[in-house]
Amino acid sequence: RLLGLGAADMIGAKADEILQPPSGRRDETPPVTATLADRKPRLVEETEVRGADGTALPVTLGITPIAEPVSSLCAVVVLHDISAQVAAQQDLYRAKDDAEAASRSKSLFLAHMSHELRTPLNAIIGFSEMVAEEALGPVENPRYREYARHIHASGGHLLSLINDLLDLSKIEAGKLELYEEQKEVEALFKRCRVFVEEAAQHKGVKLSIEPAGHLPPLWCD
């Protein structure tokens, strides 16, 4: 029995009334009709069986014509239920759509937050640079100039982290551009030291930089 259709319901019924192509492909010639017309075997990867209540069951369909028909038997039709595979495929499509929607939302969030964070960061970087360079007059306490340089370096580092987050979105979209340049390794070490030195002091760790001789420039992004 297929969806409420018993043998008595099928005997004498037209195959086209039971076997119907999936929605959107109604204009195709039914495969059983085509095989009876040209006597060629067919394998249909996906079609539908319509039950007595109109419910559709996805199936694969194999049709083999009989070379020497016996009585009214002209072809053998074999159906295989693929509803589980179709349901699993639909679940995958939905999961893919959900993942793409989540990715778009993440990209929009990162773009919005980067704009909101860059505005105050640019002010912090700019003002700290003015203080460090004593653009508006001398700074009496040299520690303040040192703090201003640290603020400037930390602000630049934070801005680079924000840009890195945006780069992740560009990598996913395959649109990341590299900006390669030569950098002095020792200078990079000294810059990194600013961000870890305070944490090291709190842990009682003495931090020092001892480069092994003259290091060649590093070609990097």
Side-chain angles (χ1 to χ4, degrees):
R1 299 181 65 86
L2 291 172
L3 297 175
L5 285 175
D9 301 307
M10 295 182 184
I11 294 175
K14 294 182 179 179
D16 299 347
E17 295 175 354
I18 302 173
L19 301 172
Q20 298 185 14
S23 302
R25 288 156 47 186
R26 302 301 189 201
D27 55 340
E28 296 180 3
T29 301
V32 174
T33 300
T35 294
L36 293 178
D38 59 19
R39 311 299 298 167
K40 293 181 180 179
R42 279 176 172 77
L43 176 63
V44 182
E45 294 294 339
E46 182 180 348
T47 187
E48 292 178 353
V49 175
R50 294 287 174 175
D53 59 356
T55 304
L57 174 70
V59 297
T60 57
L61 179 64
I63 310 166
T64 304
I66 295 178
E68 298 180 2
V70 179
S71 182
S72 60
L73 185 61
C74 299
V76 175
V77 179
V78 178
L79 307 174
H80 179 65
D81 181 4
I82 58 170
S83 54
Q85 296 94 310
V86 171
Q89 188 178 51
Q90 291 173 347
D91 289 341
L92 288 176
Y93 287 145
R94 282 192 292 268
K96 176 176 176 290
D97 292 340
D98 291 343
E100 290 176 348
S103 178
R104 287 192 297 270
S105 297
K106 180 193 67 177
S107 298
L108 289 174
F109 172 77
L110 290 177
H112 177 73
M113 288 304 299
S114 68
H115 174 73
E116 294 296 326
L117 291 172
R118 278 174 171 174
T119 301
L121 265 179
N122 287 331
I124 292 171
I125 293 171
F127 290 147
S128 61
E129 184 177 13
M130 291 178 63
V131 174
E133 295 180 356
E134 300 178 304
L136 300 179
V139 177
E140 296 181 2
N141 193 326
R143 294 294 297 274
Y144 288 161
R145 289 197 302 272
E146 182 183 355
Y147 292 159
R149 285 194 292 270
H150 287 337
I151 293 172
H152 183 268
S154 298
H157 179 65
L158 184 55
L159 185 60
S160 70
L161 292 178
I162 294 171
N163 291 332
D164 287 343
L165 288 176
L166 290 178
D167 284 345
L168 291 177
S169 298
K170 292 180 181 178
I171 290 172
E172 291 177 350
K175 297 180 179 179
L176 179 67
E177 296 181 12
L178 296 181
Y179 296 94
E180 297 171 293
E181 58 182 341
Q182 283 191 343
K183 302 293 289 188
E184 293 296 332
V185 178
E186 188 172 355
L188 289 177
F189 287 162
K190 291 180 178 179
R191 182 179 174 187
C192 294
R193 177 178 181 171
V194 174
F195 305 111
V196 298
E197 191 168 31
E198 183 177 356
Q201 290 175 353
H202 284 313
K203 297 291 185 179
V205 177
K206 182 180 178 181
L207 187 65
S208 62
I209 299 176
E210 298 178 3
H214 178 69
L215 297 175
L218 181 67
W219 182 253
C220 61
D221 177 349

